[in-house]
Amino acid sequence: MFPAPFEYHRATSIDETLALLAKHGGDARVLAGGQSLIPAMRFRLARPAVLVDINALHELSYLREEGGMLAIGAMTRDAALETSALIASKYPLLADTSALVADPVVRQSGTVVGSLCHNDPAGDWGVTALAGRAQIVIRNASGTRTVAIDDFLVDSFTTAVGEGELALEVRFPTPPPRTAGSYQKIERKVGDFATASAAARITLDADGAITGAGVAIGAAGPHAMRVRDAEQLLQGAKPTKELIRAAADAARALADPVADNRGSVEFKKDMAGVLVGRALIAAIGRLGVEGLR
Amino acid sequence: MSTTAKPTPDKYSLGQSMKRKEDPRFLRGHGNYVDDIVLPGMLWLSIVHSPYPHARIVKIDKTAALAVPGVVAVLTGEDLAAHNLAWIPTFHGYDKQMILAVGKVLFQYQEVAGVIASSREIAQDAAELVEVEYEPLDPVVNPFQSREDKIILRDDRENKTNHIYHWEVGKRDATDAAIAASDVSIKERVVFQRCHPAPLEPCGIIADMDAATGRLTLYLTSQAPHAHRTVVSLVTGIPEDKIHVISPDLGGGFGNKVPVYPGYVVAAAASVVIGVPVKWIETRTENLTTTGFARDYHMDVEIGATKDGKVTALKVATVADHGAFDAAADPTKYPAGLFGIVTGSYDFANAFTELDAYFTNKPPGGVAYRCSFRVTEASFAIERGMEILARKLNMDPAELRLKNFIKKEQFPYPSPLGFVYDSGDYHLTLRKALDIIGYDALRQEQKEKRTRGELMGIGISTFTEAVGAGPSKHFDIMGIKMFDSAEIRVHPTGSAILRAGTKSQGQGHETTWAQIAADELGLDPQNIMVEEGDTDTAPYGLGTYASRSTPVAGAAIAMAARKIREKARKIAAHLLEAPVDDIEWENHAFHVKGLPENAITMQTIAFAAYTNPAPDTEPGLEATFYYDPPNLTFPYGAYIAVVDVDAETGFVKVRRFLAIDDCGTVINPMIVEGQIHGGLTEGFAIAFMQELAFDADGNSLNTNFTEYLVPTSLETPHWETSSTCTPSPHHPIGAKGVGESPNVGSPAAFVNAVMDALAPLGVTHIDMPLTREKVWRAVRSAKGAAKT
Ligand SMILES: Cc1cc2nc3c(=O)[nH]c(=O)nc-3n(C[C@H](O)[C@H](O)[C@H](O)COP(=O)(O)OP(=O)(O)OC[C@H]3O[C@@H](n4cnc5c(N)ncnc54)[C@H](O)[C@@H]3O)c2cc1C
């Protein structure tokens, strides 16, 4: 399986990248980890005429906290999150995701930003980004803008990144005290895209009431989706089994998956609920509140 | 068994975990696969496939493809027909198969045209430009639809029916009567789904016609190089001496590299016509969608028993989906392979089995995936049946098995379906398994868990295989008897080269063959070079599949070595100045009777064979042996799986898996263990994730590894292994085949364990693969039924 013919540029700076993207417009695609783009090209499902490789842009490979945000650069690989002490200690939702996305080999190459830009309906990072209220920084020849994840994920395989644009980084707000998250995924084998997945982020106040909630599901629609009904139910409430069941049911109601080899619509809808329940229980459990199963 | 005294083990002895001699080459990336071979001036073949499962070909337009710079030729079925190569006979000769489609296509991805170009990329780009106009026809997507004969798929055949054959063995009336008269009986349809062996290295060829010598060299991914040479000669008329098949290193085969594929034939035809080498290497999609699949048997299993659990009769009626052509590579007299092993390890007084095979709009094949000719399907049927019977009798499944096993005194055991089992001690092996796994404690744990509503299951499979085809009076392929061969040449300094008619695909022949010869000859296995796969040098053999290499070629090696030893005995007598009859072979050396301290080694004898030959003996020290096995071998095992089922998601966690195998004499325990690990992993995949599925329109749903799942080390369970040893009485070293045992035996253990876990919900059977959704659905409908 060989890609259709294409032109290849290895960019040496962000400016050069933007110039190349501006020049080739809709014919050009950014090449990050290549773990989605290259397979698609080999199957000839994608036939970009021009590739702009950003792997030499080491300045885009970082994980840093600044201004109340964790910034993840466009060339930061999944494996960097999986092995980061910072992520392990402060960002359990991201730590979970980085250990469940794809397989260990793919994670050596694949990037978080590339995954968000790819916007596969069953991709993992979009789900986590929604629950974690991420923002994406996008640059083009004329400037830089920041887009909330909810506006970034436009449709299957379509994002707010336009022609001639480069996503520079994704930012996650640094969690306030007593915040935890969890990412849950059902897959047929390691390295498979999700049959269903769910992310939850919960902040509790001193009384144990929920003061912040993010809930999202994957493989249940054209792209990852926030379960706003569940977030509303959770906001201000104290965690109980009933509350979690209700949040899970909200996910079941929202889920609008397609049937494929991974499962039927009925199964996937139910799994969206099961996984939202499990993600909430795990996140709240990480805050020391047990007995919700 | 050997008539010589049993030696005290030394460095030459069998049964040692010698490291694999082939591994340094593979681990350093120095393997040499077909795709590694590049010949000067070589062209590439890329194949155009049908997007339709069933369609008439209206028109093929080559113009645009031929216009691409670098394209040399575009071949279609009509071009091949001009050379009488559009169709070729299938292995057993009862059907024929298309090379490139003529008139119509019969399965999605069927080969329609071949593009020959100066590079692989150009060939593939140009293949996209071959314009084929199709007129789609209604497809036949399963054998039950096929059976109705509303759409006749093969208008080329004389009989206008999709029914390929009916096959039966055993006593129908007596069996029906016994089941009707039994206290308790069960009947269940169990489907062994269509799956695919998916070797890591797909199939490929370089065909190299040398116009000057008139010789056609084929570098081929072949498990059976000699058989392939003969087929090529028979089909093309090229004299067999002008055909040279070289099967270099193979990256797995599992039966997938036994059949002859269109890509081979097109590449060879192109090389003959164009006069330069032509290479074709399959893509993953081509491998999964067009080459030999496995199984696809729908089996109705019936067992009758007394109320205290003694089985009385077994009946299995099967509907088989053979795809577009009857290309299952079975021995000629065995259209359903060795399915008659379906009575398994149990002593049935009455048994009957019948099978009807049908054409469908799916790829052809059927005999592959670590399976000795349908033994896997048969083992699954009986082991599922016994489990279902145990449940119905409310009897422990281990107890039911122990009660019905063929007893060790009954061997050689004539089975009601026509085999004579060579040896076994089934009670011993199962008891050992129950003991190691801690069966009683597990049942206790399960009891407690059930009171809490937790789903835990224990599944047993005590299978018996029939492998090592086979005796010439029963077994042939294209008329060629299924013997195998070995040739050993001992060099003057006491090292040797050993060649065999088999072909390793990862089984470790370079090591185990050397070990067999080493033990027979008292030579260092490190210095016995093993060579296979080159038809110019290796003796004729039928190749490696169906666990036949050790039973047949392994025996030939031992026998060739014994011929050498007999000659060596004469040389020893000459050197020791004693009568031949006084020379004894003991502890891997010769000595004069009563004088063991004055022994001479084979190394000394080898030197003498070239420097000081005995009078009246030919110089040199070599022998060839063609071994015609007197019987098959019957390896068996006791496998136990322990699982926990997540009722909410249908996820099955395989908590433990124990495999006890009895393959008779073990040549290299490490290699056997490796074979078991590999086969168990495949069995796990088959049980839980693998299926070649088709939608209602006949479209393939598993065209690459994102949809046809191969487990990684991360989800593969931990395997516990052990063994018992009941040597084969008729094999020269007492060995039986083992390569396929784990794939044959394990699927039933997994399914039985899951069904055991679901037993409290009243679930009896779920067809493989046991996906989360299927288990979830079973739990759900059982719970739903309980509520109403
Ligand atoms: C075997 C396998 C299993 C996988 N399993 C999973 C899984 O379970 N879950 C999952 O979520 N993913 C999975 N993936 C996909 C993997 O996570 C990819 O790495 C990821 O989707 C894309 O990241 P990438 O860096 O490889 O991007 P690339 O493949 O390089 O690019 C993907 C797309 O994003 C665009 N793009 C990339 N970076 C930028 C940028 N900075 N600015 C603008 N556009 C950009 C590219 O042009 C392209 O269109 C799997 C991949 C493989 C090969």
Side-chain angles (χ1 to χ4, degrees):
Chain A
M1 298 171 193
F2 296 96
F6 61 91
E7 198 181 301
Y8 172 83
H9 298 277
R10 190 167 174 87
T12 53
S13 69
I14 294 173
D15 287 344
E16 188 192 355
T17 306
L18 294 172
L20 283 165
L21 292 174
K23 180 173 163 206
H24 295 288
D27 292 340
R29 295 282 278 277
V30 173
L31 177 69
Q35 298 301 299
S36 292
L37 186 52
I38 300 227
M41 288 170 67
R42 288 174 66 113
F43 283 118
R44 301 196 171 193
L45 298 170
R47 294 172 179 249
V50 179
L51 282 192
V52 182
D53 182 350
I54 60 167
N55 280 267
L57 305 186
H58 301 294
E59 63 269 36
L60 290 180
S61 178
Y62 52 82
L63 280 172
R64 58 178 173 241
E65 287 188 310
E66 56 191 9
M69 293 276 196
L70 169 76
I72 304 171
M75 275 317 303
T76 304
R77 322 269 180 187
D78 297 327
L81 280 81
E82 199 182 0
T83 53
S84 154
L86 171 69
I87 300 296
S89 63
K90 278 174 78 174
Y91 299 89
L93 174 56
L94 303 192
D96 280 2
T97 314
S98 68
L100 282 171
V101 59
D103 63 41
V105 179
V106 171
R107 294 200 287 268
Q108 296 297 320
S109 299
T111 65
V112 180
V113 171
S115 173
L116 292 170
C117 291
H118 189 59
N119 197 11
D120 189 300
D124 295 302
W125 282 115
V127 188
T128 290
L130 283 169
R133 301 291 191 268
Q135 305 165 357
I136 288 85
V137 179
I138 301 173
R139 185 178 293 178
N140 59 27
S142 51
T144 304
R145 65 204 159 95
T146 301
V147 181
I149 184 69
D150 302 75
D151 302 322
F152 181 82
L153 304 175
V154 175
D155 201 348
S156 299
F157 306 108
T158 309
T159 66
V161 179
E163 271 179 30
E165 293 193 318
L166 177 69
L168 276 188
E169 65 181 30
V170 55
R171 295 177 179 169
F172 284 85
T174 299
R178 290 213 79 195
T179 300
S182 166
Y183 185 66
Q184 304 276 333
K185 177 180 182 181
I186 286 180
E187 54 186 359
R188 295 173 299 178
K189 59 169 263 194
V190 172
D192 188 23
F193 276 89
T195 302
S197 73
R201 176 189 47 86
I202 292 290
T203 305
L204 296 180
D205 68 12
D207 297 335
I210 297 170
T211 54
V215 180
I217 54 177
H223 50 77
M225 297 190 295
R226 233 169 99 180
V227 192
R228 288 173 200 273
D229 288 350
E231 290 177 354
Q232 269 162 27
L233 285 167
L234 294 162
Q235 189 67 36
K238 285 208 172 170
T240 61
K241 286 183 186 177
E242 292 67 37
L243 180 67
I244 286 168
R245 206 169 300 138
D249 284 340
R252 282 188 182 89
L254 177 71
D256 184 19
V258 289
D260 59 16
N261 285 355
R262 293 184 178 83
S264 67
V265 168
E266 193 191 0
F267 176 63
K268 290 182 176 183
K269 274 176 92 77
D270 191 45
M271 289 309 105
V274 169
L275 294 189
V276 162
R278 290 184 179 186
L280 286 168
I281 291 166
I284 297 167
R286 282 175 165 159
L287 298 171
V289 181
E290 302 290 345
L292 294 171
R293 272 213 66 102
Chain B
M1 291 290 294
S2 163
T3 50
T4 49
K6 207 168 171 64
T8 43
D10 57 27
K11 69 172 177 175
Y12 310 119
S13 303
L14 287 183
Q16 304 186 51
S17 288
M18 177 179 155
K19 283 193 184 159
R20 301 203 329 161
K21 292 168 70 179
E22 42 271 82
D23 281 349
R25 176 168 97 244
F26 292 133
L27 294 174
R28 290 169 203 213
H30 286 210
N32 184 40
Y33 300 91
V34 171
D35 200 18
D36 292 324
I37 300 167
V38 176
L39 300 180
M42 188 172 80
L43 300 176
W44 278 87
L45 165 67
S46 184
I47 288 180
V48 179
H49 298 273
S50 167
Y52 297 103
H54 193 197
R56 209 161 289 291
I57 297 175
V58 180
K59 201 172 93 201
I60 301 180
D61 186 349
K62 307 175 179 179
T63 326
L66 282 171
V68 175
V71 171
V72 176
V74 177
L75 299 175
T76 63
E78 286 181 13
D79 299 323
L80 291 183
H83 299 269
N84 211 9
L85 278 177
W87 294 80
I88 62 164
T90 55
F91 261 126
H92 48 50
Y94 299 131
D95 194 18
K96 52 182 184 163
Q97 64 190 99
M98 279 194 235
I99 296 302
L100 295 176
V102 223
K104 68 178 193 170
V105 289
L106 286 161
F107 63 94
Q108 194 190 31
Y109 288 98
Q110 190 180 333
E111 300 83 355
V112 174
V115 176
I116 319 274
S118 55
S119 77
R120 188 173 193 178
E121 292 78 4
I122 293 172
Q124 186 163 334
D125 285 346
E128 286 188 346
L129 299 176
V130 175
E131 286 169 31
V132 187
E133 195 184 314
Y134 297 94
E135 179 194 319
L137 301 169
D138 288 339
V140 173
V141 294
N142 72 60
F144 300 98
Q145 179 197 357
S146 173
R147 181 157 83 169
E148 292 167 10
D149 272 345
K150 287 199 183 125
I151 301 167
I152 301 297
L153 296 180
R154 294 283 302 276
D155 12 333
D156 60 286
R157 285 172 58 108
E158 209 168 300
N159 286 341
K160 298 297 174 236
T161 171
N162 297 326
H163 186 234
I164 311 173
Y165 62 81
H166 173 85
W167 168 85
E168 62 177 63
V169 59
K171 295 188 183 134
R172 182 196 294 269
D173 294 342
T175 303
D176 282 341
I179 291 174
S182 58
D183 302 338
V184 179
S185 66
I186 60 114
K187 181 168 182 176
E188 188 73 40
R189 168 162 300 173
V190 302
V191 180
F192 207 129
Q193 79 275 25
R194 182 178 276 241
C195 42
H196 197 282
L200 210 49
E201 177 207 27
C203 301
I205 186 174
I206 304 174
D208 180 15
M209 183 67 186
D210 183 329
T213 62
R215 253 188 138 215
L216 177 64
T217 303
L218 305 173
Y219 301 87
L220 193 64
T221 50
S222 171
Q223 294 178 227
H226 285 100
H228 283 143
R229 185 185 70 191
T230 303
V231 171
V232 173
S233 179
L234 290 175
V235 168
T236 61
I238 300 174
E240 212 167 339
D241 71 299
K242 297 284 188 297
I243 303 166
H244 183 190
V245 176
I246 300 171
S247 184
D249 285 328
L250 294 183
F254 312 106
N256 187 244
K257 292 171 181 163
V258 173
V260 174
Y261 295 122
Y264 300 165
V265 179
V266 178
S271 181
V272 169
V273 172
I274 304 168
V276 298
V278 176
K279 184 176 197 171
W280 171 70
I281 300 289
E282 244 176 15
T283 63
R284 178 62 56 196
T285 298
E286 289 176 309
N287 183 252
L288 286 171
T289 57
T290 66
T291 65
F293 71 94
R295 331 267 193 262
D296 216 341
Y297 266 26
H298 303 247
M299 304 173 285
D300 287 334
V301 184
E302 284 179 78
I303 304 179
T306 63
K307 59 179 177 303
D308 59 347
K310 181 80 192 89
V311 297
T312 53
L314 171 75
K315 180 177 180 183
V316 181
T318 299
V319 169
D321 182 341
H322 278 217
F325 311 106
D326 184 21
D330 284 304
T332 312
K333 297 195 189 85
Y334 293 83
L338 306 179
F339 192 81
I341 194 71
V342 70
T343 53
S345 309
Y346 314 103
D347 192 8
F348 279 97
N350 301 287
F352 174 74
T353 185
E354 63 181 334
L355 182 142
D356 289 279
Y358 295 92
F359 291 121
T360 59
N361 288 120
K362 292 182 193 169
V367 176
Y369 210 178
R370 232 178 180 129
C371 167
S372 174
F373 306 123
R374 308 293 189 180
V375 165
T376 316
E377 292 89 326
S379 298
F380 186 71
I382 181 65
E383 289 305 312
R384 282 294 297 129
M386 290 300 278
E387 190 71 23
I388 292 166
L389 177 67
R391 173 117 42 110
K392 182 138 186 200
L393 287 162
N394 204 11
M395 192 167 168
D396 182 279
E399 194 190 329
L400 178 70
R401 286 174 167 84
L402 289 167
K403 186 161 192 145
N404 289 290
F405 277 151
I406 298 158
K407 296 187 186 67
K408 116 172 157 217
E409 315 79 77
Q410 288 174 276
F411 291 93
Y413 170 81
S415 84
L417 298 181
F419 292 105
V420 178
Y421 293 16
D422 59 350
S423 63
D425 187 347
Y426 301 154
H427 291 88
L428 174 83
T429 308
L430 177 55
R431 288 208 175 100
K432 182 168 179 177
L434 297 173
D435 196 41
I436 294 178
I437 201 101
Y439 189 68
D440 294 339
L442 285 169
R443 285 284 176 213
Q444 188 55 38
E445 179 192 343
Q446 181 185 45
K447 208 165 150 191
E448 285 156 21
K449 290 213 156 127
R450 281 185 178 170
T451 62
R452 299 198 295 270
E454 290 171 38
L455 303 176
M456 168 188 166
I458 305 160
I460 301 176
S461 167
T462 48
F463 61 96
T464 290
E465 288 179 274
V467 307
S472 59
K473 57 181 181 292
H474 302 306
F475 291 92
D476 72 84
I477 285 185
M478 304 173 305
I480 296 166
K481 304 298 186 185
M482 294 184 75
F483 57 80
D484 223 292
S485 62
E487 178 204 87
I488 304 171
R489 296 182 184 175
V490 183
H491 306 316
T493 51
S495 58
I497 181 162
L498 186 170
R499 294 184 171 114
T502 44
K503 175 61 204 170
S504 188
Q505 309 126 42
Q507 292 91 338
H509 291 179
E510 288 170 48
T511 309
T512 45
W513 286 179
Q515 285 182 277
I516 294 175
D519 189 30
E520 295 291 338
L521 294 173
L523 291 176
D524 186 342
Q526 296 294 350
N527 295 328
I528 300 175
M529 178 180 144
V530 173
E531 193 186 274
E532 298 177 313
D534 184 326
T535 56
D536 274 7
T537 57
Y540 201 104
L542 273 259
T544 292
Y545 44 86
S547 290
R548 67 186 297 279
S549 296
T550 296
V552 193
I557 292 163
M559 299 307 283
R562 286 175 196 179
K563 266 185 166 175
I564 289 175
R565 211 164 64 203
E566 277 321 297
K567 178 168 180 184
R569 185 189 300 276
K570 289 186 194 143
I571 301 171
H574 166 65
L575 296 178
L576 291 166
E577 297 175 346
V580 173
D581 289 347
D582 286 356
I583 303 297
E584 287 192 337
W585 171 255
E586 200 181 352
N587 295 332
H588 296 109
F590 288 109
H591 61 78
V592 180
K593 210 178 275 179
L595 294 170
E597 61 287 349
N598 199 10
I600 53 170
T601 63
M602 190 61 81
Q603 194 162 4
T604 307
I605 288 166
F607 199 65
Y610 293 88
T611 60
N612 177 17
D616 308 323
T617 56
E618 278 177 61
L621 196 58
E622 61 183 69
T624 303
F625 200 97
Y626 278 67
Y627 186 79
D628 179 6
N631 190 2
L632 300 172
T633 67
F634 295 78
Y636 67 95
Y639 290 0
I640 304 182
V642 184
V643 304
D644 297 301
V645 176
D646 180 338
E648 269 186 333
T649 64
F651 175 63
V652 177
K653 162 108 185 115
V654 178
R655 194 205 307 176
R656 286 184 72 187
F657 193 98
L658 170 68
I660 308 219
D661 279 279
D662 191 321
C663 58
T665 304
V666 171
I667 300 158
N668 181 321
M670 179 194 74
I671 286 183
V672 169
E673 194 185 2
Q675 291 290 306
I676 303 292
H677 280 207
L680 291 177
T681 305
E682 290 175 343
F684 167 71
I686 290 166
F688 293 107
M689 57 182 85
Q690 291 186 337
E691 177 170 26
L692 283 183
F694 294 80
D695 69 13
D697 300 321
N699 298 305
S700 171
L701 298 177
N702 317 83
T703 61
N704 57 56
F705 277 168
T706 57
E707 295 306 333
Y708 188 78
L709 304 177
V710 179
T712 70
S713 60
L714 293 170
E715 57 272 331
T716 299
H718 173 71
W719 309 120
E720 301 169 51
T721 58
S722 186
S723 63
T724 58
C725 178
T726 317
S728 171
H730 63 75
H731 186 278
I733 62 166
K736 302 181 177 184
V738 74
E740 297 165 336
S741 303
N743 189 319
V744 169
S746 65
F750 292 115
V751 178
N752 287 346
V754 177
M755 294 312 124
D756 187 51
L758 301 182
L761 301 172
V763 179
T764 319
H765 181 73
I766 305 175
D767 279 324
M768 297 187 292
L770 301 182
T771 60
R772 286 166 177 71
E773 174 158 3
K774 283 195 204 165
V775 176
W776 169 86
R777 213 167 265 292
V779 170
R780 216 167 204 231
S781 54
K783 288 195 165 153
K787 267 184 217 147
T788 51

